[in-house]
């Protein structure tokens, strides 16, 4: 799967970090860090993260095969 | 595949919680008829931007529509308030007299802005509240005229409106009845910090006082306010930001318990005044009063964005499960969270700071725009708030989640 985050939209709400801590985290300056191509086992977490982002900055796409 | 689903489900309330409930019904395989009822004429939209960029954006106001997936396949009854619910006959009556039968119903009518007490004369033109898109456009137009703005109520909404007006270059006075903004919500330390942010931005913060009276010009328009401490403030625009009142007036006579919000059991099923469960009716979002384990089980209506999302999703799951215990979801146990953006400071919170009897300040740096406070009740963590330290919230949230999950597992037999 492929994760993209529109950093122009991101306001560091943290909801994705709560929903999918294995994919998303913050650095010391509250900037979002994320794994762009996480294991497909985390798909459920990733979808939840996208669903709870208040600014809809997170997109989850299946990996191109 | 099952045979065609002939059930008719109605979602009353076409905002965030209602839309999430409707989406979840479809995502979980409901193929019957789905109707969304909304009192506003607009398709679903997002409210947090109304007190932020909708007020500040130059040029045309920005769009705030919520995405409605094509697969929703819903009948829309917009601009039609629900006026009556009969849970025995299973009908919903709309403002135009239409009666809709239902097999299952989601109550997600949200809240309305609290105005002046009904006993007082209506305020003059120039006095606003902010809840809806139309409210936001009206306020945006008033702010464009410039002058001084008085915001009554220094909660999160009032603070954001004050900050937005200041960003537009208006003179702003923020009036708060308590000694400190937000003190009841997040304690005096965070409240004083937020007051300092406002004052640094050039906002006049007047605490411990309320609006006694509106001053008007000879043409009847607003000229300012007289405060209970005797002071007068000249202003062309006043916003009342006094909190929300759950929209339950249409439930009068329904037999549902709805004082301070629709009373729910831990699975978001709606209760009668005698405490029994109303079959096939659930509630979600600002209108729902749900037992909160972090507040000792007290039923609270939380007016937060994430609460509307999570309860909308959970209420739909409960509704679809019906009386089938095998499909029944567990009690609703999401960790609450909320946020506010003020003068570039990102306030982020998890849990229920308002339920705390003790606060512990971990970091306090006004110049560096950093704050970290944990909140406790009877010695146990119930919440946390940060500014500029969102990354630190994850561990607090995890601790709260771990506390809620075993607690709800223990409660599960009693809830079925």
């Amino acid at each position: 799967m492929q994760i993209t985050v529109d950093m122009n939209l991101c306001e560091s709400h943290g909801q994705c970090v709560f929903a999918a801590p294995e994919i998303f985290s913050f650095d010391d300056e509250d900037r979002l860090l994320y794994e762009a191509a996480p294991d497909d086992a985390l798909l459920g977490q990733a979808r939840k993260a996208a669903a709870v982002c208040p600014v809809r900055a997170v997109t989850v796409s299946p990996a191109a095969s | 595949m099952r045979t065609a689903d002939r059930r008719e489900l109605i979602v009353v309330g076409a905002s965030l919680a209602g839309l999430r409930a409707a989406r979840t019904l479809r995502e979980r395989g409901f193929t019957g008829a789905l109707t969304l009822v909304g009192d506003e004429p607009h398709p679903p939209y997002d409210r947090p931007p109304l007190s932020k960029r909708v007020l500040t954006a130059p040029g045309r106001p920005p769009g705030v529509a919520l995405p409605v997936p094509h697969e929703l396949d819903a009948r829309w009854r917009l601009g039609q308030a629900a006026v009556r619910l009969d849970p025995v006959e299973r009908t919903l009556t709309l403002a135009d007299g239409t009666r809709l039968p239902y097999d299952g119903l989601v109550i997600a009518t949200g809240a309305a802005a609290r105005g002046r007490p009904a006993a007082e004369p209506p305020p003059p033109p120039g006095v606003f509240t902010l809840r809806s898109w139309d409210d936001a456009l009206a306020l945006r137009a008033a702010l464009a005229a410039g002058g001084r703005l008085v915001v009554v109520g220094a909660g999160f909404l009032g603070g954001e409106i004050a900050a937005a007006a200041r960003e537009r270059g208006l003179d702003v006075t923020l009036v708060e009845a308590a000694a400190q903004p937000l003190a009841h919500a997040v304690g005096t330390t965070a409240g004083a910090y937020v007051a300092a942010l406002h004052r640094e931005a050039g906002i006049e913060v007047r605490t411990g006082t309320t609006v006694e009276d509106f001053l008007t010009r000879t043409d009847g328009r607003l000229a300012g306010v007289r405060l209970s401490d005797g002071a007068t403030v000249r202003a062309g625009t006043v916003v009342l930001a006094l909190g929300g009142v759950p929209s339950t007036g249409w439930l009068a006579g329904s037999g549902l318990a709805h004082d301070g919000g629709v009373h729910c059991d831990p699975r978001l099923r709606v209760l009668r005044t005698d405490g029994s469960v109303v079959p096939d009716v659930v509630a979600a979002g600002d209108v729902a009063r749900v037992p909160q384990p972090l507040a000792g089980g007290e039923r609270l209506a939380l007016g937060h964005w994430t609460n509307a999302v999570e309860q909308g999703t959970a209420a739909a799951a409960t509704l679809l499960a019906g009386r089938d215990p095998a499909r029944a979801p567990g009690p609703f146990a999401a960790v609450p969270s909320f946020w506010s953006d003020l003068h570039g400071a990102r306030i982020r919170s998890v849990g229920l700071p308002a339920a705390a009897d003790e606060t512990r300040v971990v970091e306090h740096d006004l110049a560096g725009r950093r704050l970290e406070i944990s909140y406790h009740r009877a010695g146990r963590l119930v919440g946390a708030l940060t500014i500029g330290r969102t990354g630190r919230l994850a561990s607090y949230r995890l601790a709260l989640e771990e506390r809620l999950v075993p607690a709800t597992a223990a409660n599960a037999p009693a809830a079925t």
Side-chain angles (χ1 to χ4, degrees):
Chain A
M1 111 186 92
Q2 201 66 36
I3 305 272
T4 47
V5 179
D6 185 337
M7 294 307 287
N8 293 316
L9 294 177
C10 179
E11 295 173 350
S12 299
H13 287 275
Q15 296 296 329
C16 59
V17 180
F18 304 154
E22 291 168 70
I23 302 173
F24 301 93
S25 61
F26 285 112
D27 69 8
D28 280 347
E29 301 298 319
D30 271 359
R31 281 182 299 245
L32 188 68
L33 309 172
Y34 63 99
E35 183 74 49
D39 193 281
D40 281 352
L42 298 174
L43 187 62
Q45 271 194 30
R47 288 209 167 119
K48 181 146 191 256
V52 295
C53 175
V55 292
R56 300 192 296 276
V58 179
T59 309
V60 181
S61 336
S65 53
Chain B
M1 281 299 286
R2 285 170 294 163
T3 52
D5 195 332
R6 295 178 182 279
R7 284 179 298 172
E8 303 215 2
L9 301 186
I10 300 178
V11 179
V12 191
S15 193
L16 183 62
L19 180 61
R20 285 295 175 126
R23 288 180 59 166
T24 304
L25 292 172
R26 289 297 190 217
E27 284 162 14
R28 289 186 171 236
F30 173 65
T31 56
L34 177 60
T35 301
L36 273 94
V37 175
D39 62 343
E40 293 181 56
H42 311 295
Y45 61 88
D46 210 21
R47 293 184 201 276
L50 301 186
S51 52
K52 306 178 183 79
R53 60 190 166 85
V54 172
L55 298 181
T56 55
R60 291 179 48 175
V64 294
L66 288 169
V68 176
H70 174 70
E71 317 82 79
L72 197 66
D73 187 23
R75 303 171 189 165
W76 295 86
R77 297 277 193 156
L78 298 177
Q80 279 290 331
V83 296
R84 188 165 181 272
L85 178 69
D86 185 335
V88 178
E89 295 290 324
R90 296 190 178 226
T91 56
L92 177 77
T93 308
L94 304 184
D96 67 358
T98 311
R99 286 179 70 189
L100 303 174
Y102 68 81
D103 298 297
L105 184 116
V106 181
I107 296 175
T109 41
R114 188 186 301 277
R116 298 284 285 176
E120 294 185 17
V127 179
F128 297 83
T129 54
L130 176 55
R131 174 79 194 175
S132 68
W133 172 247
D134 294 342
D135 293 342
L137 290 188
L139 179 58
R140 181 184 153 90
L143 296 182
R148 177 172 290 274
L149 170 73
V150 172
V151 179
V152 185
F156 286 112
L157 182 73
E160 288 183 356
I161 295 167
R166 193 72 199 117
E167 193 180 322
R168 294 189 62 135
L170 277 77
D171 294 324
V172 180
T173 301
L174 188 53
V175 176
E176 168 59 42
Q180 217 45 277
L182 295 166
H184 66 287
V186 293
T188 50
T189 304
Y193 192 104
V194 167
L197 291 179
H198 286 317
R199 289 187 168 115
E200 271 188 20
I203 292 171
E204 180 192 31
V205 182
R206 288 173 175 256
T207 57
T209 189
T210 57
V211 170
E212 199 79 350
D213 211 357
F214 297 105
L215 311 173
T216 51
R217 304 187 310 209
T218 48
D219 66 0
R221 274 199 64 82
L222 179 77
V225 291
R226 186 165 62 242
L227 302 177
S228 57
D229 62 10
T232 60
V233 181
R234 313 291 297 181
T237 307
V238 169
V239 180
L240 305 178
L242 303 171
V245 185
S247 298
T248 58
W250 62 286
L251 294 170
S254 66
L256 270 57
H258 59 81
D259 61 294
V262 176
H263 293 220
C264 296
D265 79 353
R267 289 176 49 206
L268 307 176
R269 296 182 298 182
V270 165
L271 303 176
R272 297 188 188 89
T273 48
D274 66 4
S276 62
V277 169
V278 179
D280 302 315
V281 181
V282 293
D286 295 12
V287 77
R289 263 187 84 174
V290 178
Q292 293 292 339
L294 294 177
E298 189 188 344
R299 281 197 180 90
L300 299 176
L302 301 178
H304 304 148
W305 191 94
T306 49
N307 184 64
V309 167
E310 289 160 349
Q311 286 187 348
T313 306
T318 292
L319 189 64
L320 286 182
R323 272 153 278 184
D324 178 359
R327 297 182 68 198
F332 179 75
V335 178
S337 65
F338 66 86
W339 74 85
S340 182
D341 294 323
L342 289 174
H343 313 294
R346 289 170 171 171
I347 304 170
R348 303 286 182 261
S349 176
V350 294
L352 285 177
D357 56 26
E358 180 199 351
T359 61
R360 299 178 194 164
V361 180
V362 181
E363 184 178 15
H364 188 292
D365 174 4
L366 187 61
R369 291 288 188 270
R370 292 192 192 283
L371 181 66
E372 179 180 351
I373 301 176
S374 64
Y375 296 83
H376 307 263
R377 178 185 175 104
R380 300 186 72 186
L381 182 75
V382 292
L385 177 146
T386 63
I387 293 175
R389 289 289 195 201
T390 316
R392 303 249 180 110
L393 280 183
S395 60
Y396 288 113
R397 190 184 183 280
L398 196 61
L400 292 169
E401 197 168 62
E402 282 169 357
R403 184 181 155 190
L404 287 180
V405 170
T408 53
N411 288 343
T416 52

